[in-house]
Structures are given as structure tokens and as C-alpha cells.
Amino acid sequence: MRALKPFSVAVLFLLVASFFSCEVSNQSVSVLDDQNFNKNWLFSKGSFKEGSSIVFDDSAWRSLNLPHDWAIEGPFDKKYNARTGGLPVHGEAWYRKHFTISKDHQGKRISIEFDGAMNEAKVWLNGEYVGERPYGYIGFELDLTKHIKLGEENVIAVQLFPKDLAARWYSGAGIYRNVRLKINNPIHIPQYGTYITTPEVSKEKALVNIATTIANLSGVTSKVHLKTQIKDAAGAVVAEHSSEIDVNTESTTPIQITVENPKLWDIKNPVLYKAVSTVSVDGHVTDEYNTDFGIRTIEFDRENGFLLNGNSVELNGVCMHHDQGPLGAAINYRAKQRQMQIMQDMGVNALRTSHNPPSPEILKVCDELGIVVIVEAFDEWKMGKVENGYNKYFDEWHEIDLRDMIKRDRNHPSVIMWSIGNEILEQSKKDGWKLAKHLNDICHDEDNTRPTTVGFNYFPAPFVNKLADQVDIVGMNYWPERYNEIMEENPNMIVYGSETSSLTSSRGVYHLPIEFTQKHETNHVSSYDVIVGPPWAYAPDVEFDAQAKEPRSLGEFIWTGFDYLGEPTPYGGRDNSTNGYWNDDWPSRSSYFAPVDLCGFPKDRYYLYQSQWTETPMVHVLPHWNWEGKEGEKIPVFAYTNAEEVELFVNGKSYGKKVKGKDLVEIPSEYHDFNKALYKSKYRLSWQVPYQPGTLKVVAYKSGKEVATKEVKTAGAPAKVKLLADRHNIKANGEDLSFITVRIEDESGNLCPNADNLLTFSIQGEGVLAAVGSGDQTSLESFQSNKRKAFNGMCLLVVKSSEATGEIKIEASSNGLTSERLIVKTN
């Protein structure tokens, strides 16, 4: 690999214009007054020969608001592919919207912008074809100007035709991201119209370079005045610049502005600024374009790893698919924010958007929370992994898609790398390096401030075939013991774990005895966190050791942060009788990989990572302590802590202290470089405890001082329902969410860890049911029903606000249990 020049950049964040707080836009333009273009669409599944016609009768179609994912509505069915969630992600469907634009907009440029439509989207306006985009993960804009009828009704029609096995996981289906109608003056800043970097950053000043593109569709050359102001978080102007530009059809103008005493964007203090670009002609403002940004430097160094603002940062990262569990793929800002807040509490500081371009919302969340991001473009190049994958569109669309992804996302301070592929099959081809170089060059052409990367998995193929030489940073999937070898044999390479562990588990499930067995008759996996599942996987402990042995590694991205729909490994094998569908172990229909279940409830493994990635004193103990019928039998008790030692008490009796790193725990293991045997972990503590009902208590000590405790009690019979809202006040905008944890408790308020009671929910007032779930990877219950069985004592209720202020009155009941009521206010 060529010598890597340090990437020292301070990059700015993308501009935002929103109808509601959940909607992220690319520019602030003259939008339709009091109209949200997500509203009042008509939808129907099926094939409609005249579906694009302005006179087509759609009066019987269903009315809904976007974003919308039709697949999450179900039903689950064995005839669908369990590898993509057992849900109907395929089929033809249409969306139509009737709207009117005032004649006052005569002479304006009118376009529609989709943040993503899944997939094979084709768009018509008033019966005239205006464009298409096959890749469902990428945003696109289409010019509608010549087909718009001002002062009359217009009809926009969108046909989608997603196919099964277009991805290796749940993709969702529909117009699942936000849509905007944009009305511009002929002279304006177009989509992705700013590119901002800072070539020099210090405590005293930052040099801010802003390249602004101005489009002139008036037909005559105009002298344009461009004023750029930089505002701080309080809205005060801290710097500005003005220039005069002659614009014919399009002009890109670079300027430089100095910000004195800048506040830097950082993981612990993610400060954001705003650049406001105002375009005027003859004293009249024709456009205003807003770019939120953060000033920071990034550098990747072989010896010192990743440096943010000159400080070394170990990447404690997660890979994440785009679905939001029971909510499906339809984007929701609060859902993404909650996901990343849960991750951050685990100690996560980095995200890899595996394996596709993310929504604007998730990048906005990461900008605001201080989480760095690897933005990934493709799971396939020319060689396909699934029968209807991206390889079908690669030749025609890859360069357009990749360039648009980078232009859209390159101003986000959170984005630190561009990933051009994941586990691509071209690794095994001798000439695969040519395609890697081609994609790498596109990235550097659009943005030379960030390095490129790939997640490689076929060791040593990418090194033998020289693909690894074509990217700036080498990601390795599931080869923890080889980091040092790779760096020693390739003295110019920088390496990190782009996918790690792939351990599997089910929340609250404990199978005894602890053993290698991967499958269980319940289709669940034990939460003792030793059953790895697939042959490439290994326990988190292995990666902790690997990162410690090779401190030059940038860090790791575990597979995955949240459980996701589809890919129910280790369950599911190929069934040739169903055309290659993976349904042998039905009803397994979602993943087991993450330390957090599909609903966002932490599994035990969450606390194992927290014990390595956080500093606030913590201790966790497992399993639950309800083992009726096993009185006197020895139960393995584990503790995870970031303290020095832990003491276990059972019903007040001490079972002794264990020292982290000294009292090793042997766990079953088997992976690439470790034959089936016991792996000695220094990250866990354990005791063998004869079961008797009562209380488990762990006390963590540092320097002999108690710093954290945790108790688990034997629960009595289920007696009542408990509701716990993450937020009791939400926005009255028709989009905001309250996530409500539902617990089955005994009379004393202890969680009943084996309870599976059926719950019924009633919601009245200014809100509706958005989703229900339980985290059970085998449940075929609808995510949109008002009923749900608890899974190991818990389930989740999600309510969505209306657009009116008031109260949402929620009640949860179950036969034989005391009901619970809760009020969430909308403001």
C-alpha cells in the first residue's frame, strides 16, 4: 500500500431545513406554505397499468403519511424468506399524491427530493415520466418544472418494485424516508451545493473553506452577490464573507473565512455551527442555504491510531442496519436518536452504517451526540451475493450512487471514513484490485479529506490480490489474531476490526449446563454469552484481547449494535424446496447478534461491553434468580465490572471476592485461530452457587472501596403490569415517539423473569399506537397489534403523537394482573 498521508481536516455538517423536527433536508428553500409533502399520499399494493395516469381512479386507495414501510405491516409467513425477516419485502406497489401549486410560483424551479425509496423507484408527474432510481438506500432529486400545472391539480405517481433476496437482511419496502417538494428561484444553490473544509485549526482560529455552487437557470448571465455568515450555537454571527460572481449556468465559488477562538466538535463536546449562504441579484434575495457544521481535525496514524483534534481515540464501534425493530424501516428521528443514546450508554463512540448509505437522520443524530461514523456504500460490487442484489445495477449506477452519497454526507463532522464495500466477492479475483482502485479514486475525487476503507473477510485474499493496497485504511472482519501479522507484513497499512465477534444470544434466556451447543429446541440462544453461532464468530473477550495485543489497531465495530430483522443466525438453513429460502428453523425471523434486542432492551452482553468501554463504576450480575425445581443444584453466576474486584453475596452470605484479570473464567470457544476448547477470559468473574431462592448481590470495589452494587431477587408470582416511559413529554408534531417499557412484576415490584403474559393496550387522546414488540426473535405476533405477549417478563409499546397538544392516555392490562395507566403529554 502507498504511504498514507495523515488526513487532518475539520469538516462541516450538512444543512438542515425541516417541516418537523424529525425531518432532515438539504437546504432551506421557498417551500410550499403550511404543507408537508410527506402528508396525504395514496397507497396500494398491486400492478396498475395506468397507475401513472393523471385520470387514474385512486379513490379506493389507502390514505397515509410518509415515511411508510409496507413490509413491516406483515404478516409474518413461512413462505417469505426468513433471511429477510419473514415479511413481504417484495412485490409491486404504488404511491400517488394530488397537490396544487399557486400560480404565484410562475417562473420558479420545482423539484422533488426523496431521501430513499425501497426500491426500483420510478416517478411520473401528470402522466409524464420524470426519472428513476433503483438503489433504495440513496437519496435523489428530480426536476418537475416542465410538467407542473400551476393553479391546477397535479398528480405525482411513484411505482416501487422491490424483489425478494435483494439484500441479505430486512430491507423494508416503500417510500420509507422523507420526501420534500422544493421550489427555487432560477438562481439558487442546488442540491448538495456546499462543500466545506477547514485546512487549519487551532485554539486561536480556524480557516473555513466553503465551496458554494450557484445554479443559474434564468437563461441570461447574472451578477450574483453571495454573502456567507457563520453563526454559533446561540445564533450569533461570528464571521462573514461577501463576494460578487458572474454566473452563466453554474458556478462554484471557493471562499475562506476565519473563525476566531473556535469551539471544536468532539466526542465529549459536539459543538455545531451554522453557515448561512445568501444569494442576491440586484438587491433581491433569491436563495438562502443553511449548513450546520462542526470544526474538528481528524488524523489516522499507524502508531497512534485515530486522532480527533490531536487526541488519540480508540474506536468502540458498532455496525448497524437501518431498521428500527418493531417500527420497521420507515425513518423516525426519535427512533434513531434513542438507538444511538442506548449505544452511547454502553460506551459506543463510533458507528459503521453497514452495509449501505444511511439516512440523513442518523448522521444528524451522530453529529449531535458526538459519535463518529464510517459511511458505507455497497454490500456488493459486480459479483452478487443474493439473486436480486445491487450487482444488477452496479455497472450503470455505482458511480452516480457513490458520488451522490459523498456529496450529501461530506459536510457532517461525524463522518470520518468512506467505506466502498463489505465482504465483496472480488477479494478472490486477481484483478479485483482494479475495481477497488476505481471506487477509491471516486471517493478521493469528491472528498480528499477522509480516508477510504473496505471490510475484508477472505484472509489473506485481499492482500494476495492487492485489493487492500487500494484503500487507505484496512478493515478486517473476524480475524482478531491477525492484526499484528497484517501490520508487520505491510509496513504502510493501518488496520481495525470492521466487524467483530458476531456472538449470539436471546435476552433473559439461560440454558444449563453452559456448553458449545448452538441450537436449542426453543430457537433461542443462551445469554451466558458463550454460544457464538456461526463458524466465523467468537466471544467479545477474544476481541478485547486482540485489541490489547495490537494497540495500533484503530479499534473495533461489533456485529451488531442492535438486533435487526432478518438473518436469524444460528437458526435457518437452506431449504431447496422453497427456492432457496432459509426457513428450516422457522419461526426464527430476526437476528441474535447484538448486545441489545430488537426493542432496545439490553442483554447481559451489553454490560460486558460497558465494563470495557466506560469509566463510571458499574457492576452487572447474571442470570436471573428464579430456578424453581433446581434447589441445591449449582448455578453459574457471572459478574461484569469496570472496577477491580467483585464480591458475591447470596442471601447475605459472602461467596468471596474475585479479582478482574486475575481470576480467569474459562468459556467454550472456537473460531478461525482457536480450535474448539476453553478460552480463558480475564473480562468476566464467576462463581458456582447452589440455588436457593432469595437475593443475589454483587459489590464492586476499587482500591478496596465499594463503588457499585447490583441485586437480583427471586420473583414471586406475576401480580401487576408496570409501565415506564422513556419520555413523558413529547412534541405534538405527528411524528414524535414515546417508548414505553412494559414489565410483568410480582407484588414487591420484582421483574418476573419467565413471565409470558398476554398484554392488551388501550391508547386514547392525542396519540396512536406506533408499534409493539418484545425482543423475542421467534415471535410471529404483529408489530402493529394492540396485544403482545411478554418475553421473559418484558415487552415494548411505542406511541406516536398527534399534531394537537394534550394528553395520550395509555392503559396496559392482562388477565389476572393489576392494570397500569400512564399519561404522556404532547406539547
Side-chain angles (χ1 to χ4, degrees), residues 738-749:
S738 181
F739 289 83
I740 301 168
T741 298
V742 186
R743 288 166 50 102
I744 306 298
E745 296 181 347
D746 68 7
E747 288 286 1
S748 299

Side-chain angles (χ1 to χ4, degrees), residues 132 134 390 392-400:
E132 63 185 81
Y390 186 75
K392 291 181 174 290
Y393 318 115
F394 185 89
D395 285 341
E396 181 179 358
W397 286 99
H398 74 273
E399 184 166 354
I400 298 170

Side-chain angles (χ1 to χ4, degrees), residues 464-655:
V464 172
N465 295 325
K466 305 302 181 183
L467 278 79
D469 290 345
Q470 309 308 318
V471 293
D472 302 313
I473 310 284
V474 175
M476 292 304 300
N477 292 6
Y478 310 112
W479 290 95
E481 301 289 348
R482 302 302 177 100
Y483 300 147
N484 179 260
E485 175 186 339
I486 292 167
M487 294 191 76
E488 291 304 312
E489 293 183 0
N490 301 276
N492 292 320
M493 285 188 181
I494 299 175
V495 176
Y496 69 103
S498 43
E499 274 183 38
T500 62
S501 187
S502 270
L503 189 78
T504 57
S505 62
S506 301
R507 175 185 53 79
V509 172
Y510 306 97
H511 295 152
L512 297 174
I514 296 175
E515 56 186 14
F516 272 101
T517 304
Q518 293 186 6
K519 295 187 177 183
H520 191 270
E521 61 185 8
T522 63
N523 281 19
H524 294 127
V525 181
S526 175
S527 197
Y528 273 111
D529 296 325
V530 297
I531 306 301
V532 294
W536 61 85
Y538 48 88
D541 318 54
V542 174
E543 188 69 31
F544 296 154
D545 278 339
Q547 293 292 331
K549 289 175 184 175
E550 183 45 86
R552 294 176 297 178
S553 166
L554 302 180
E556 66 165 310
F557 290 78
I558 67 174
W559 190 261
T560 51
F562 266 62
D563 277 348
Y564 54 93
L565 290 162
E567 212 168 7
T569 308
Y571 298 98
R574 187 168 292 280
D575 180 357
N576 293 326
S577 67
T578 55
N579 193 29
Y581 287 0
W582 299 63
N583 291 331
D584 293 23
D585 297 302
W586 186 258
S588 289
R589 47 72 172 155
S590 60
S591 82
Y592 298 73
F593 290 117
V596 172
D597 73 14
L598 201 67
C599 292
F601 299 143
K603 306 177 188 176
D604 294 290
R605 194 163 10 121
Y606 182 92
Y607 303 99
L608 179 57
Y609 281 103
Q610 194 178 69
S611 73
Q612 291 303 114
W613 290 355
T614 67
E615 296 179 356
T616 301
M618 57 76 61
V619 66
H620 177 73
V621 64
L622 66 140
H624 62 68
W625 209 234
N626 275 63
W627 296 97
E628 295 82 354
K630 292 186 179 294
E631 287 76 7
E633 294 184 27
K634 288 186 176 181
I635 306 294
V637 174
F638 283 21
Y640 306 145
T641 187
N642 56 11
E644 295 168 353
E645 56 184 356
V646 175
E647 186 173 9
L648 173 68
F649 296 88
V650 182
N651 295 334
K653 176 186 175 182
S654 175
Y655 273 67

Side-chain angles (χ1 to χ4, degrees), residues 378-389:
F378 309 119
D379 190 47
E380 293 180 355
W381 293 349
K382 287 189 176 185
M383 299 176 68
K385 301 175 185 177
V386 286
E387 62 189 57
N388 292 308

Side-chain angles (χ1 to χ4, degrees), residues 13-29 180 272-275 288-293 333 360 363-364 367-368 412:
F13 165 171
L14 206 63
L15 37 106
V16 178
S18 59
F19 292 104
F20 294 131
S21 62
C22 65
E23 185 176 349
V24 179
S25 175
N26 290 315
Q27 69 186 71
S28 182
V29 296
R180 284 167 292 279
L272 296 171
Y273 289 84
K274 184 187 295 289
E288 184 177 285
Y289 192 104
N290 298 294
T291 307
D292 290 348
F293 67 91
Y333 178 81
L363 294 183
K364 183 176 188 294
D367 286 338
E368 293 170 343
H412 283 276

